[in-house]
Amino acid sequence: RLTDRIREYGGTVVDYVGDGILAVWNAPADQVEHAELACRAALAMLEEVPQLNAQWEGTLPVPIRIGIGINTGDATVGNVGSSHRFKYGVLGPSVNLASRTEGATKQFDVPILITGSTCERLPKSFAVRRLCNVRVVGMEHTTPLYQLQAATASEEWQAFKSNYETVLEYYEAGNWVAASEAISPIISQQNAQ
């Protein structure tokens, strides 16, 4: 079912690795809105999880949770391998960054993370918030990570995002007093929910 959502939004499944799926957009054919398509597929995959959990309840010891990492960048794409075994594949630092971004979903406890290079290609209607800048192993530059919440940002989300990113700016500037004062209403609001 997750593969169906990838295909529905024009993605190409490159591989199944353990319990993960590696998919690409904009290859083998060009797709102008590849970042948006990948994000829409991720959101559609997330919508499948409650139905999958209902289907597998009682069979699996814990509910299914998914983490999706999306990065946009150049990659080497095509048939790779040897004369004995080859397959269609993608290689390069941008693929590694996507994998590391997926891994970070566990640390941030959010189901979908996207990098800045993906975020800047999305329509402004998408509900995203910047979580931090990270430097992943093997990369010399930092990369901004964003939580992808929805394809359309509600007024409530916009207000939450604005407040959260204000706190983040204070924190990153080392203005601890302003950051702690600005975060109190956010924590109170989250506890009330």
Side-chain angles (χ1 to χ4, degrees):
R1 287 166 64 167
L2 300 181
T3 298
D4 289 344
R5 299 297 73 78
I6 291 168
R7 295 186 63 198
E8 176 183 355
Y9 287 95
T12 300
V13 173
V14 173
D15 208 351
Y16 298 95
V17 184
D19 63 353
I21 303 171
L22 173 59
V24 297
W25 279 259
N26 207 34
D30 291 344
Q31 295 168 306
V32 175
E33 299 169 338
H34 52 85
E36 180 179 350
L37 290 169
C39 289
R40 289 189 184 281
L43 292 166
M45 291 168 70
L46 196 58
E47 288 177 5
E48 290 287 342
V49 173
Q51 295 169 359
L52 289 169
N53 280 326
Q55 178 182 345
W56 291 95
E57 186 177 7
T59 304
L60 296 177
V62 295
I64 295 169
R65 292 183 60 188
I66 63 174
I68 301 170
I70 301 172
N71 181 49
T72 302
D74 293 334
T76 301
V77 182
N79 288 327
V80 297
S82 70
S83 59
H84 300 286
R85 186 176 190 281
F86 68 91
K87 66 177 183 175
Y88 185 78
V90 293
L91 304 168
S94 64
V95 179
N96 293 340
L97 182 54
S99 175
R100 300 252 165 60
T101 300
E102 180 274 326
T105 61
K106 296 169 189 68
Q107 282 75 38
F108 286 100
D109 195 29
V110 296
I112 306 171
L113 285 175
I114 64 175
T115 62
S117 62
T118 300
C119 187
E120 65 190 24
R121 289 171 173 81
L122 294 180
K124 299 298 180 204
S125 61
F126 274 71
V128 295
R129 69 173 170 147
R130 190 172 71 84
L131 296 179
C132 67
N133 291 331
V134 298
R135 183 182 326 233
V136 300
V137 175
M139 308 265 175
E140 65 181 75
H141 300 292
T142 60
T143 301
L145 290 183
Y146 293 79
Q147 176 188 4
L148 173 62
Q149 179 71 17
T152 304
S154 66
E155 287 184 24
E156 182 180 63
W157 173 264
Q158 290 288 26
F160 170 73
K161 170 191 172 169
S162 177
N163 293 337
Y164 177 88
E165 289 183 348
T166 297
V167 172
L168 185 59
E169 287 175 21
Y170 287 143
Y171 176 81
E172 290 176 335
N175 191 341
W176 315 120
V177 173
S180 63
E181 289 172 354
I183 201 167
S184 293
I186 295 173
I187 293 171
S188 297
Q189 182 183 16
Q190 292 294 324
N191 289 339
Q193 295 174 354

